[in-house]
Amino acid sequence: MTDPSDQAPSLAVIGMGLVCPVGMDATSSCLAIHAGIAGLADLDEFPPLAYWDEKGNELEAVGGSALEAAAVAAGLNRLVRLAAPALKDAVTEAGVPLDDLPPTHLVQAMPAVGRPGRDNRLESLFVPRLERACGIPSGRLKMTPVYDGHTGAITALNKAGELLQTGAERVIVGCVDSLV
């Protein structure tokens, strides 16, 4: 017989949230994926931000600080718009009112540092905007960012396990990676 003290501590998943190309919540997304609906496509045909320079008779890329600032803001806002419904879904499914969420760790898989269009202030801006978008009182989420690209979800789950083993009461794992 195994000694109970030799067993790994238990973990309970009490809520899930998911927003992806095939669903706006965990249930519909999982059902669509189970049914074989992928909803994924390459962005090869996504038009570049450019204009036709009649003087030089060529296509020129659009750039400049005002445009870059707008692109950074759009990227951050997109990340929040993608993350907020999933966070709301998970917390609500767990039976916790969003406006009464106790202090909680958020292990968040984020776009890689150095990725084009990524603002270095992302971490400091993301959580306050996410809390505001979800109706969570300011300062309730303490974020631990993870930057492992496509494997970020696995790294985030491992980090969540470490936090729980070292005394964290609650951990939410989030993954969002689209600056497009």
Side-chain angles (χ1 to χ4, degrees), residues 69 72-77 79-80 106 110 118-133 143:
V72 166
L76 173 62
N77 290 335
L79 291 177
V80 170
L106 171 64
M110 301 291 282
R118 187 185 190 288
D119 186 350
N120 291 332
R121 301 170 300 158
L122 183 61
E123 291 74 18
S124 64
L125 299 173
F126 180 75
V127 169
R129 290 189 187 185
L130 182 61
E131 287 174 328
R132 193 168 39 252
M143 185 171 82

Side-chain angles (χ1 to χ4, degrees), residues 26 54 63 68 118-119 178:
E54 292 183 18
E68 289 167 12
R118 187 185 190 288
D119 186 350
S178 179

Side-chain angles (χ1 to χ4, degrees), residues 4-180:
S5 64
D6 291 338
Q7 295 179 353
S10 61
L11 171 68
V13 175
I14 60 170
M16 293 188 310
L18 176 63
V19 174
C20 69
V22 297
M24 292 303 291
D25 60 31
T27 302
S28 62
S29 297
C30 289
L31 288 171
I33 292 166
H34 183 70
I37 300 168
L40 302 176
D42 289 333
L43 290 176
D44 294 338
E45 296 182 28
F46 193 82
L49 204 47
Y51 72 98
W52 184 257
D53 178 10
E54 292 183 18
K55 225 179 197 182
N57 204 26
E58 62 186 353
L59 195 63
E60 291 286 333
V62 175
S65 59
L67 179 64
E68 289 167 12
V72 166
L76 173 62
N77 290 335
R78 179 168 172 76
L79 291 177
V80 170
R81 282 194 318 269
L82 289 169
L87 178 60
K88 288 179 188 178
D89 194 21
V91 173
T92 302
E93 185 178 311
V96 179
L98 289 162
D99 61 354
D100 198 30
L101 182 70
T104 302
H105 288 274
L106 171 64
V107 180
Q108 183 69 49
M110 301 291 282
V113 174
R115 181 173 168 177
R118 187 185 190 288
D119 186 350
N120 291 332
R121 301 170 300 158
L122 183 61
E123 291 74 18
S124 64
L125 299 173
F126 180 75
V127 169
R129 290 189 187 185
L130 182 61
E131 287 174 328
R132 193 168 39 252
C134 293
I136 296 171
S138 179
R140 298 288 172 93
L141 295 175
K142 179 183 178 191
M143 185 171 82
T144 301
V146 172
Y147 309 102
D148 282 353
H150 296 296
T151 61
I154 301 300
T155 305
L157 287 168
N158 285 332
K159 185 65 178 171
E162 291 172 16
L163 287 167
L164 290 166
Q165 288 177 349
T166 57
E169 289 185 41
R170 279 169 296 290
V171 179
I172 295 172
V173 175
C175 302
V176 61
D177 190 17
S178 179
L179 292 172
V180 175

